[in-house]
């Protein structure tokens, strides 16, 4: 069935560098996308979202890019910090169902 | 800050026993989700409520799992009988019309 997936299971970056986490989705009907951060033993924490009528949205140190042509979503983290170490999930849903579907996640490791 | 409350945080049970998890969503959130997350994987939707009604339980193993949200506020997820393969993190989330879903800290279930 249609699902959300990720290209890289683990990403290791140097503290201070920028991080880019990628996600591919296959449901063309999806119109809302969310990035979540999950630390060990905790529930997913909302980072940033984007709707399908946008191609870029910026938050504090984070930017989400959406390319509907190739069904690709990315999360950019500027000046990565040790506290950014976690697993990052992209999720998608449609306004009609509010059903959130998650990908398998990317682990971000920040080297001091 | 409003948050989704879940209890217990940890539960160890013997296989074939019954177990129940409780979730209190953010006040005013009509949509409530129960997810199961196996270690190293993304959350998998089990059941979705809109107020007191189930809108999606297609992935809920109905022979042993049940969920209810009788008054459209808090919710209970039950497993009877528990099996070894049910060991996982059970996450509850809630959302309003904005689609952004907020997660609780989860219940870590270990079946022995």
């Amino acid at each position: 069935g249609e699902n959300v997936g990720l290209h890289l299971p683990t990403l290791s970056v140097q503290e201070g560098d920028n991080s880019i986490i990628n996600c591919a989705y296959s449901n063309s009907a999806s119109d809302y996308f969310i990035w979540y951060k999950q630390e060990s033993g905790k529930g997913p924490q909302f980072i940033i979202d984007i709707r399908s009528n946008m191609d870029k949205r910026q938050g504090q140190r984070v930017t989400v890019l959406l390319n509907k042509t190739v069904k690709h979503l990315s999360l950019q983290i500027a000046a990565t910090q040790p506290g950014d170490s976690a697993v990052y999930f992209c999720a998608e849903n449609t306004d009609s169902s509010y059903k959130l579907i998650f990908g398998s996640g990317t682990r971000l490791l920040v080297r001091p | 800050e409003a948050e989704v409350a879940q209890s217990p945080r940890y539960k160890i049970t013997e296989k074939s026993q019954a177990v129940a998890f409780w979730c209190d969503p953010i006040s005013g959130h009509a949509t409530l989700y129960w997810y199961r997350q196996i270690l190293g994987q993304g959350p998998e939707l089990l059941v979705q409520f809109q107020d007191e009604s189930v809108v999606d339980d297609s992935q809920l193993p109905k022979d042993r799992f049940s969920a209810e949200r009788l008054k459209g506020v808090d919710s209970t997820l039950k497993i009877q009988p528990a099996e070894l393969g049910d060991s996982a993190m059970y996450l509850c989330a809630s959302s309003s019309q904005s689609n952004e879903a907020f997660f609780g800290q989860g219940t870590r279930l270990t079946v022995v």
Side-chain angles (χ1 to χ4, degrees):
Chain A
E2 295 183 312
N3 55 59
V4 174
L6 294 172
H7 296 304
L8 299 174
T10 304
L11 177 65
S12 180
V13 300
Q14 191 72 37
E15 181 179 356
D17 287 352
N18 296 333
S19 302
I20 299 177
I21 300 172
N22 296 302
C23 175
Y25 67 95
S26 56
N27 186 354
S28 57
S30 295
D31 50 21
Y32 180 62
F33 305 88
I34 309 173
W35 280 102
Y36 285 95
K37 172 187 180 183
Q38 188 175 27
E39 297 174 288
S40 181
K42 297 184 179 180
Q45 177 186 4
F46 172 90
I47 301 174
I48 191 167
D49 59 0
I50 189 168
R51 296 196 178 276
S52 58
N53 61 352
M54 303 171 68
D55 54 19
K56 180 179 180 180
R57 191 168 188 215
Q58 289 185 293
Q60 186 178 12
R61 284 201 307 119
V62 295
T63 300
V64 55
L65 299 178
L66 174 63
N67 186 330
K68 295 181 289 292
T69 302
V70 296
K71 296 179 184 174
H72 185 266
L73 194 68
S74 69
L75 176 70
Q76 300 178 2
I77 304 174
T80 311
Q81 302 170 359
D84 295 327
S85 292
V87 177
Y88 289 80
F89 294 97
C90 64
E92 61 177 320
N93 76 358
T94 63
D95 279 335
S96 61
S97 70
Y98 304 121
K99 182 176 179 178
L100 264 180
I101 303 299
F102 281 79
S104 56
T106 293
R107 181 172 299 280
L108 177 65
L109 300 176
V110 182
R111 304 188 304 273
Chain B
E1 182 176 301
E3 60 181 30
V4 177
Q6 288 189 248
S7 66
R9 285 295 308 277
Y10 305 93
K11 180 69 178 179
I12 300 175
T13 191
E14 294 183 345
K15 61 181 180 181
S16 80
Q17 296 298 303
V19 63
F21 315 127
W22 177 78
C23 172
D24 190 11
I26 292 173
S27 179
H29 280 192
T31 306
L32 185 147
Y33 309 86
W34 281 103
Y35 285 85
R36 175 173 58 187
Q37 185 176 27
I38 296 170
L39 191 63
Q41 299 182 17
E44 173 195 17
L45 180 66
L46 293 175
V47 62
Q48 178 182 342
F49 289 92
Q50 186 69 22
D51 298 308
E52 68 277 6
S53 300
V54 173
V55 297
D56 191 321
D57 63 356
S58 57
Q59 301 303 312
L60 188 71
K62 299 180 186 64
D63 57 334
R64 297 184 301 107
F65 286 64
S66 64
E68 61 183 17
R69 192 185 185 198
L70 294 176
K71 296 182 179 180
V73 181
D74 59 335
S75 176
T76 303
L77 179 69
K78 298 179 181 177
I79 308 175
Q80 181 174 19
E83 297 180 352
L84 295 177
D86 296 332
S87 295
M89 175 79 87
Y90 290 83
L91 294 162
C92 179
S94 70
S95 71
S96 64
Q97 295 293 328
S98 67
N99 302 76
E100 178 182 337
F102 295 88
F103 282 80
Q105 295 287 49
T107 296
R108 169 69 68 187
L109 173 67
T110 302
V111 182
V112 298

